Amino acid sequence: MTEEEKERNVIVCRCEEITMGEIRDWIARGYDTFDELKHILRVGMGPCQGRGCREIILREIAKMKNVPVSQVDPGTFRPPSKPVKLELLAKKEGGE
């Protein structure tokens, strides 16, 4: 297996098991924003909510578009942006 093949097989989004090859293929097809890739591949929608893959994907978009990462839209964040224990949400007012 060549280095390029190994790189394409690297799992970028562990929550949804999306590889670098899949990311690159969809960017090459014109889906070159994080939100577009999120809609197609579900990256950033697993339990980590993109904390594991967002930066890697943004760097890959920047690389393939030949622009600085700062010019790549980071996509939409929706609450909760961090995991919240259900027990905290379920507590009644007054500490019960």
Side-chain angles (χ1 to χ4, degrees):
M1 185 179 287
T2 68
E3 286 301 314
E4 183 178 330
E5 289 171 329
K6 287 179 187 176
E7 190 174 300
R8 285 186 58 81
N9 290 328
V10 169
I11 302 275
V12 173
C13 178
R14 291 177 291 199
C15 298
E16 299 297 328
E17 297 183 3
I18 305 299
T19 65
M20 181 61 82
E22 290 173 285
I23 299 287
R24 288 178 178 164
D25 291 345
W26 284 100
I27 294 171
R29 291 177 188 166
Y31 296 87
D32 58 1
T33 69
F34 189 84
D35 282 343
E36 289 173 329
L37 294 171
K38 182 195 279 190
H39 293 299
I40 298 288
L41 300 173
R42 294 190 40 84
V43 294
M45 295 180 72
C48 83
Q49 297 182 344
R51 285 191 304 278
C53 64
R54 184 178 302 272
E55 292 301 318
I56 296 168
I57 294 169
L58 294 176
R59 284 195 309 263
E60 195 60 31
I61 292 169
K63 178 180 158 186
M64 291 185 74
K65 290 176 75 173
N66 199 28
V67 297
V69 175
S70 61
Q71 290 183 8
V72 176
D73 181 2
T76 306
F77 292 89
R78 292 192 174 86
S81 59
K82 290 187 177 181
V84 177
K85 289 184 178 182
L86 186 57
E87 129 186 11
L88 296 174
L89 297 174
K91 282 187 178 179
K92 293 182 181 178
E93 197 172 311
E96 291 182 37

